[in-house]
Amino acid sequence: MTPLHWSPRPAVVGVAWASALVAALLAVLIDDPRGTLLLAVAAVALGVPALFGTLARPRLAADHEGVTVRGLTGSRHWRWREVNVRLVRTRRLGRESSVVEIDADNAEVPGLVLLGQLDLGVEPHEVVDSLLRLRT
């Protein structure tokens, strides 16, 4: 079986980069100190997730040996016997959201990772189904 991987959608990352660029350009062009400050903060606030979405690809990868989660500072790999994978659903303010929970409590380097739709580019329940099929 081929390795599986999930990443943020390129269009979402592109929109974040474009928005950060527009905010930065407006911050330079505007003649209002308060507006400049707000736009500079907005440019940074949009640029950081855009950078993360660009560098941390693929965000989640899995093969017959285990799972690998990638972040800005590097990646962590856990074997299947070290992790528990499940779908967590929460309801807040009348809206239900789902995340993939990867719990590596039994690993040499323990960790807990929560990945949502923006991280994965697809619905979390699809990822959990694929991971559980791959694990068996």
Side-chain angles (χ1 to χ4, degrees):
M1 181 176 268
T2 60
L4 303 173
H5 56 87
W6 297 272
S7 300
R9 290 183 182 165
V12 173
V13 176
V15 167
W17 277 119
S19 301
L21 179 64
V22 167
L25 286 173
L26 287 174
V28 170
L29 296 175
I30 199 167
D31 192 28
D32 176 27
R34 291 183 189 132
T36 300
L37 178 64
L38 287 174
L39 286 166
V41 169
V44 171
L46 291 165
V48 169
L51 179 65
F52 184 79
T54 301
L55 296 179
R57 297 183 80 80
R59 185 75 171 106
L60 174 65
D63 57 19
H64 67 281
E65 293 179 11
V67 295
T68 304
V69 179
R70 188 165 183 182
L72 279 179
T73 59
S75 59
R76 288 192 263 172
H77 179 77
W78 293 292
R79 294 181 294 276
W80 283 117
R81 62 182 159 83
E82 297 176 320
V83 297
N84 295 315
V85 176
R86 69 184 188 126
L87 181 68
V88 177
R89 290 191 168 109
T90 57
R91 188 169 184 86
R92 292 191 183 116
L93 301 173
R95 186 170 189 275
E96 187 173 294
S97 64
S98 302
V99 294
V100 176
E101 179 184 272
I102 300 173
D103 181 7
D105 195 27
N106 301 325
E108 290 179 25
V109 181
L112 175 68
V113 179
L114 301 171
L115 301 168
Q117 185 176 358
L118 282 175
D119 293 306
L120 302 168
V122 296
E123 290 290 332
H125 67 84
E126 296 175 22
V127 175
V128 169
D129 291 344
S130 298
L131 290 175
L132 294 178
R133 275 195 307 272
L134 185 61
R135 184 179 190 158
T136 57

